[in-house]
Every structure is written in structure tokens, then in C-alpha cells.
Amino acid sequence: MSSSNTTTEFHITSLLIFFALYCILGLFTLGIAVPSGLFLPIILMGSAYGCLLGIAMGSYTKIDQGLYAVLGAASLMAGSMRMTVSLCVGDSFNPSIYEIILELKGLPFLDANPETWMRNLTVGELADAKPQVITLSRIEKVSRIVEVPKNTTHNAFPVIDDGVVPPTGLATRASELHGLILRAHLVQALKKKWFLLEKRTEWEVREKFTWVELAESERKIEGVSVTRDEMEMYVDLHPLTNTTPYMVMESMSVEKA
């Protein structure tokens, strides 16, 4: 369709059927988990309606229908995909088709451009409007590990070490962020019954967990059974803690965060 000198090759009826057929098939393949793609179908649909416009304008201009097909493909792609091959930008008229899919499926996604009000707001000010962060200690009681996931919807929890001596050699001890532990890892620790009778460290327990178990995303704690005696035991969370979590300063602007 995008070739030159194709005035007599395509009939209006065949172009209309072709355009309608690809529109219907595109509606089906758009939302299903099949790598059917949208790039080529949109090019073909754009070429078809470009040819239709070229036929309609045939008696008014000498521009070749192939050029109309190229412009039609580029315009439809620019209006739907916002890809680098597009010849124009249509953000002023409608969002990208991929942004529409993200919204329809309810997927969490940050906009490319932050809001203007975020420039004058710091992370600390935003944190004050949210519920207080729920933290866990290195040696935590089993009852606490069972309680925290049940009463929150957080996916991870900071692990705080208390009584840490600062490197400056000051006499006062302080609290230190050791890392972040996932909800799924807390569930795994309860399932494996990795409990200690007293408050002590046990790094060897890491050998009891395989990488397959640590990669599981099971986060429902309701199905885990813990006895009353086990509730009084302890768990060393250090072996399951990610010691390099993402962190931002309280004074950083929300826009940058």
C-alpha cells in the first residue's frame, strides 16, 4: 500500500474490509497475554485508511496514494504509541495506548513527569502524612512476626539494630538500619519453624533456606500455624535481610525521590 503508482491496485471495498478486519483482530490481541504485537497491525491499519484518504482526494491533488499510506501509518502510530519512529507527538490529545492498558489493568506505574507541587515538598513532610513505619528488631519475637504482617499491608519491613556503637567512638549507643526484610521471607521463616528458645544470633540458619524458597512470593500469613509455646520464641532476622535497600534523605524533594 505504501508503494508508488498503486492507484488502480486497491479498491475502496477491499481497503474497508482490510481496515475493519485488522481493527477487530487488534481489539482481541490487545488485552490478551499473547505476543501478537501492535506495531505492525497499527502500521497496516494506518496505511489502509491513508489509502482511503488518498482515493478520496484523488480528484483534488496529484499526490501519490503511497505517500498517503505512509502518512496514515505514521499518524496512527503517533496517536497511539508515542514511539520514536513517530513523526509527531499527540500527548495533548490522548494518552499512549500503553498508558491506557496500564490504567485498565490497575498496574502501579509512576508518570514520566512528576507533578509541579512535588518540587516544594520534601520526603519528610510526605512521610508525616502517612502511618508510622513498622520496624522489626534483629532478634524478634515470633508473636511480633505473626502480628505485624496481619495488621499491615506492607511488602517489606526495616530491620533495626539497637544499641550500636557509633564509629566515632561516642559512649552513647544508637539505632542503625541493618536492611529490609520481605513479607514473603517472614512467612518462610514461620513455615520452616526456624525458632530460637532465647535471644541469640544464628547465621547458620541461612543454610536451611534454598534459593527456590527465598524466591517464592507467598505473602499470606493466615495459612501458617504457630502454637502458643512457639509464640514466645525468637527469630534472628539478619540472615534473611537485604542489607542494601534503596534509601532517600528526609530533606530530598518528592520530585527527585
Side-chain angles (χ1 to χ4, degrees):
M1 285 181 284
S2 59
S3 302
S4 59
N5 300 322
T6 58
T7 307
T8 59
E9 291 188 17
F10 301 104
H11 194 267
I12 295 179
T13 305
S14 61
L15 288 173
L16 286 173
I17 295 175
F18 180 86
F19 180 79
L21 182 62
Y22 264 87
C23 281
I24 295 172
L25 293 176
L27 292 176
F28 281 102
T29 60
L30 174 62
I32 60 177
V34 175
S36 56
L38 289 173
F39 192 83
L40 288 179
I42 285 180
I43 288 180
L44 293 174
M45 285 188 288
S47 300
Y49 85 71
C51 282
L52 288 171
L53 183 60
I55 294 175
M57 297 293 293
S59 58
Y60 301 99
T61 180
K62 294 182 180 180
I63 299 177
D64 192 88
Q65 289 185 14
L67 181 57
Y68 276 104
V70 172
L71 294 176
S75 65
L76 187 58
M77 185 171 294
S80 58
M81 285 192 171
R82 308 288 192 275
M83 300 188 70
T84 54
V85 296
S86 303
L87 299 180
C88 58
V89 178
D91 289 337
S92 300
F93 301 97
N94 64 289
S96 167
I97 191 170
Y98 296 116
E99 295 179 4
I100 295 174
I101 294 175
L102 287 173
E103 185 176 354
L104 289 175
K105 292 191 174 184
L107 300 177
F109 187 77
L110 289 176
D111 293 332
N113 300 315
E115 299 291 340
T116 307
W117 58 266
M118 294 182 178
R119 299 177 183 176
N120 301 322
L121 192 65
T122 63
V123 174
E125 293 171 339
L126 188 64
D128 292 338
K130 297 289 184 180
Q132 189 175 3
V133 177
I134 304 299
T135 62
L136 298 172
S137 302
R138 172 177 182 171
I139 310 297
E140 194 61 78
K141 214 169 186 179
V142 174
S143 57
R144 169 80 171 163
I145 297 178
V146 174
E147 174 191 359
V148 167
K150 283 185 177 181
N151 298 331
T152 63
T153 57
H154 301 164
N155 185 47
F157 305 91
V159 177
I160 304 296
D161 290 345
D162 296 322
V164 177
V165 178
T168 55
L170 298 177
T172 58
R173 294 177 177 268
S175 298
E176 182 181 71
L177 174 65
H178 180 75
L180 209 64
I181 187 167
L182 298 179
R183 172 185 290 263
H185 291 170
L186 292 177
V187 174
Q188 284 296 327
L190 294 176
K191 282 185 175 180
K192 296 279 284 189
K193 300 291 183 179
W194 168 42
F195 303 143
L196 305 173
L197 294 175
E198 57 185 11
K199 282 189 175 183
R200 61 181 178 86
T201 60
E202 189 181 350
W203 282 95
E204 295 79 8
V205 78
R206 183 181 293 176
E207 301 174 359
K208 299 180 181 179
F209 293 87
T210 65
W211 66 270
V212 177
E213 292 172 333
L214 294 178
E216 291 183 2
S217 58
E218 177 59 42
R219 295 179 293 179
K220 294 182 178 179
I221 201 170
E222 287 75 16
V224 180
S225 59
V226 181
T227 64
R228 182 175 299 179
D229 293 336
E230 291 172 340
M231 286 286 194
E232 300 300 321
M233 296 182 181
Y234 300 91
V235 176
D236 183 9
L237 299 180
H238 267 204
L240 300 176
T241 302
N242 175 19
T243 57
T244 57
Y246 291 106
M247 294 182 290
V248 294
M249 302 296 293
E250 288 185 345
S251 58
M252 181 182 292
S253 68
V254 176
E255 179 186 30
K256 185 172 292 185

